[in-house]
Amino acid sequence: LLSLGTGTNSEFDKTYTAQEAAKWGPLRWMLAIQQMTNAASSYMTDYYISTVFQARHSQNNYLRVQENALTGTTTEMDDASEANMELLVQVGETLLKKPVSKDSPETYEEALKRFAKLLSDRKKLRANKASY
């Protein structure tokens, strides 16, 4: 399972300060809570699926690709401007160089290549079985 996220800005401890939040009105609080809820949903889905794959000793069959530190216009899903698209390409290229997890030195680029080979090998295996 290759799970591609849309990205989040979930480093809330680095995004908001207590001094800023103390000045927020109800609308600003609603926006922050919505962002936190969306990020939590993404994290919990990833955690649940990852746990299922680990329980089945198939953790190498699951890869979640997600940038959790989006900033500025890259967080806006309705901004399809050329400048924002270029920023998102940069985010993706930077993400490829990052490690998949704190526990593994494997980068997303390496993991995606490994995953592509795994899928290709399985497709060939199914094709060979079907030809018999």
Short mmCIF file of all heavy atoms in Angstrom, two decimals, residues 1-5 49 53 60-66 108 111-116 118-119:
data_model
loop_
_atom_site.label_atom_id
_atom_site.label_comp_id
_atom_site.label_asym_id
_atom_site.label_seq_id
_atom_site.Cartn_x
_atom_site.Cartn_y
_atom_site.Cartn_z
N LEU A 1 0.85 -1.17 0.00
CA LEU A 1 0.00 0.00 0.00
C LEU A 1 0.89 1.23 0.00
O LEU A 1 1.70 1.41 0.90
CB LEU A 1 -0.91 -0.01 1.23
CG LEU A 1 -1.77 1.24 1.45
CD1 LEU A 1 -2.77 1.43 0.32
CD2 LEU A 1 -2.48 1.13 2.77
N LEU A 2 0.76 2.04 -1.00
CA LEU A 2 1.46 3.32 -1.08
C LEU A 2 0.45 4.40 -0.74
O LEU A 2 -0.52 4.61 -1.46
CB LEU A 2 2.04 3.53 -2.48
CG LEU A 2 2.75 4.86 -2.71
CD1 LEU A 2 3.93 5.02 -1.77
CD2 LEU A 2 3.21 4.95 -4.17
N SER A 3 0.66 5.08 0.37
CA SER A 3 -0.25 6.10 0.85
C SER A 3 0.38 7.47 0.63
O SER A 3 1.42 7.79 1.22
CB SER A 3 -0.51 5.87 2.35
OG SER A 3 -1.30 6.89 2.88
N LEU A 4 -0.24 8.27 -0.24
CA LEU A 4 0.28 9.60 -0.56
C LEU A 4 -0.56 10.66 0.13
O LEU A 4 -1.74 10.81 -0.17
CB LEU A 4 0.27 9.83 -2.07
CG LEU A 4 1.07 8.83 -2.90
CD1 LEU A 4 0.88 9.09 -4.39
CD2 LEU A 4 2.55 8.88 -2.53
N GLY A 5 0.05 11.39 1.05
CA GLY A 5 -0.65 12.45 1.76
C GLY A 5 -0.61 13.76 0.99
O GLY A 5 0.18 13.94 0.07
N ILE A 49 -3.10 1.97 10.09
CA ILE A 49 -2.70 1.13 8.95
C ILE A 49 -1.32 0.54 9.18
O ILE A 49 -1.09 -0.64 8.92
CB ILE A 49 -2.78 1.92 7.64
CG1 ILE A 49 -4.23 2.28 7.33
CG2 ILE A 49 -2.17 1.14 6.48
CD1 ILE A 49 -4.41 3.22 6.17
N PHE A 53 -0.31 -3.52 9.32
CA PHE A 53 0.74 -4.13 8.51
C PHE A 53 1.83 -4.75 9.38
O PHE A 53 2.34 -5.83 9.06
CB PHE A 53 1.33 -3.10 7.53
CG PHE A 53 0.56 -2.98 6.25
CD1 PHE A 53 -0.58 -2.20 6.19
CD2 PHE A 53 0.96 -3.66 5.11
CE1 PHE A 53 -1.31 -2.09 5.01
CE2 PHE A 53 0.25 -3.57 3.93
CZ PHE A 53 -0.90 -2.78 3.88
N ASN A 60 6.95 -3.89 5.36
CA ASN A 60 7.62 -3.44 4.14
C ASN A 60 6.64 -3.26 2.98
O ASN A 60 7.04 -2.78 1.92
CB ASN A 60 8.73 -4.41 3.74
CG ASN A 60 9.91 -4.33 4.67
OD1 ASN A 60 10.15 -3.30 5.30
ND2 ASN A 60 10.65 -5.41 4.79
N ASN A 61 5.40 -3.64 3.19
CA ASN A 61 4.37 -3.49 2.16
C ASN A 61 3.55 -2.22 2.34
O ASN A 61 2.53 -2.05 1.68
CB ASN A 61 3.45 -4.70 2.14
CG ASN A 61 4.18 -5.95 1.73
OD1 ASN A 61 5.18 -5.91 1.04
ND2 ASN A 61 3.68 -7.09 2.18
N TYR A 62 3.97 -1.35 3.25
CA TYR A 62 3.24 -0.10 3.50
C TYR A 62 4.23 1.05 3.54
O TYR A 62 5.25 0.99 4.22
CB TYR A 62 2.50 -0.18 4.84
CG TYR A 62 1.85 1.13 5.25
CD1 TYR A 62 0.80 1.66 4.52
CD2 TYR A 62 2.31 1.84 6.35
CE1 TYR A 62 0.21 2.87 4.89
CE2 TYR A 62 1.72 3.04 6.73
CZ TYR A 62 0.68 3.55 5.99
OH TYR A 62 0.10 4.74 6.36
N LEU A 63 3.92 2.10 2.78
CA LEU A 63 4.75 3.29 2.78
C LEU A 63 3.85 4.52 2.74
O LEU A 63 3.04 4.67 1.84
CB LEU A 63 5.69 3.31 1.57
CG LEU A 63 6.57 4.55 1.41
CD1 LEU A 63 7.50 4.72 2.62
CD2 LEU A 63 7.37 4.47 0.12
N ARG A 64 3.99 5.36 3.75
CA ARG A 64 3.25 6.62 3.82
C ARG A 64 4.20 7.75 3.44
O ARG A 64 5.27 7.89 4.03
CB ARG A 64 2.73 6.83 5.24
CG ARG A 64 2.09 8.18 5.49
CD ARG A 64 0.74 8.30 4.86
NE ARG A 64 0.09 9.56 5.25
CZ ARG A 64 -0.96 10.03 4.64
NH1 ARG A 64 -1.51 9.38 3.64
NH2 ARG A 64 -1.51 11.16 5.03
N VAL A 65 3.82 8.54 2.45
CA VAL A 65 4.61 9.69 2.02
C VAL A 65 3.81 10.94 2.36
O VAL A 65 2.72 11.16 1.82
CB VAL A 65 4.91 9.63 0.50
CG1 VAL A 65 5.71 10.85 0.07
CG2 VAL A 65 5.63 8.34 0.14
N GLN A 66 4.36 11.73 3.29
CA GLN A 66 3.63 12.90 3.77
C GLN A 66 4.62 13.92 4.32
O GLN A 66 5.49 13.58 5.11
CB GLN A 66 2.67 12.47 4.89
CG GLN A 66 2.07 13.59 5.69
CD GLN A 66 0.69 13.98 5.22
OE1 GLN A 66 0.37 13.85 4.06
NE2 GLN A 66 -0.12 14.47 6.12
N TYR A 108 13.04 8.88 1.64
CA TYR A 108 11.83 8.62 0.85
C TYR A 108 12.18 8.20 -0.57
O TYR A 108 11.52 7.34 -1.15
CB TYR A 108 10.93 9.87 0.81
CG TYR A 108 10.07 10.01 2.05
CD1 TYR A 108 10.38 10.94 3.02
CD2 TYR A 108 8.96 9.21 2.23
CE1 TYR A 108 9.60 11.06 4.16
CE2 TYR A 108 8.17 9.33 3.36
CZ TYR A 108 8.49 10.26 4.32
OH TYR A 108 7.73 10.38 5.44
N ALA A 111 13.13 4.60 -0.41
CA ALA A 111 11.95 3.80 -0.09
C ALA A 111 11.03 3.68 -1.30
O ALA A 111 10.48 2.60 -1.56
CB ALA A 111 11.21 4.41 1.08
N LEU A 112 10.85 4.77 -2.03
CA LEU A 112 9.99 4.72 -3.22
C LEU A 112 10.58 3.83 -4.30
O LEU A 112 9.85 3.09 -4.97
CB LEU A 112 9.73 6.13 -3.75
CG LEU A 112 8.76 6.96 -2.92
CD1 LEU A 112 8.84 8.44 -3.32
CD2 LEU A 112 7.34 6.44 -3.08
N LYS A 113 11.89 3.86 -4.47
CA LYS A 113 12.54 2.96 -5.44
C LYS A 113 12.37 1.51 -5.01
O LYS A 113 12.07 0.64 -5.83
CB LYS A 113 14.02 3.31 -5.58
CG LYS A 113 14.27 4.58 -6.35
CD LYS A 113 15.75 4.91 -6.42
CE LYS A 113 15.98 6.22 -7.17
NZ LYS A 113 17.41 6.59 -7.19
N ARG A 114 12.57 1.24 -3.71
CA ARG A 114 12.38 -0.12 -3.19
C ARG A 114 10.94 -0.57 -3.39
O ARG A 114 10.67 -1.69 -3.82
CB ARG A 114 12.74 -0.16 -1.70
CG ARG A 114 12.48 -1.51 -1.04
CD ARG A 114 12.78 -1.48 0.46
NE ARG A 114 12.15 -0.42 1.19
CZ ARG A 114 10.86 -0.40 1.58
NH1 ARG A 114 10.06 -1.40 1.26
NH2 ARG A 114 10.38 0.61 2.28
N PHE A 115 10.02 0.33 -3.11
CA PHE A 115 8.60 0.01 -3.25
C PHE A 115 8.23 -0.24 -4.71
O PHE A 115 7.48 -1.17 -5.01
CB PHE A 115 7.76 1.16 -2.68
CG PHE A 115 6.48 0.72 -2.06
CD1 PHE A 115 6.45 0.11 -0.83
CD2 PHE A 115 5.29 0.92 -2.72
CE1 PHE A 115 5.26 -0.29 -0.25
CE2 PHE A 115 4.09 0.52 -2.16
CZ PHE A 115 4.07 -0.09 -0.92
N ALA A 116 8.76 0.57 -5.62
CA ALA A 116 8.49 0.39 -7.05
C ALA A 116 9.01 -0.97 -7.52
O ALA A 116 8.35 -1.66 -8.29
CB ALA A 116 9.12 1.52 -7.86
N LEU A 118 9.46 -3.63 -5.65
CA LEU A 118 8.59 -4.64 -5.04
C LEU A 118 7.31 -4.82 -5.86
O LEU A 118 6.91 -5.94 -6.17
CB LEU A 118 8.25 -4.23 -3.60
CG LEU A 118 7.28 -5.11 -2.83
CD1 LEU A 118 7.95 -6.42 -2.45
CD2 LEU A 118 6.80 -4.39 -1.59
N LEU A 119 6.69 -3.72 -6.23
CA LEU A 119 5.46 -3.79 -7.03
C LEU A 119 5.71 -4.39 -8.41
O LEU A 119 4.92 -5.19 -8.90
CB LEU A 119 4.83 -2.40 -7.16
CG LEU A 119 4.28 -1.80 -5.87
CD1 LEU A 119 3.84 -0.35 -6.11
CD2 LEU A 119 3.13 -2.63 -5.34
#
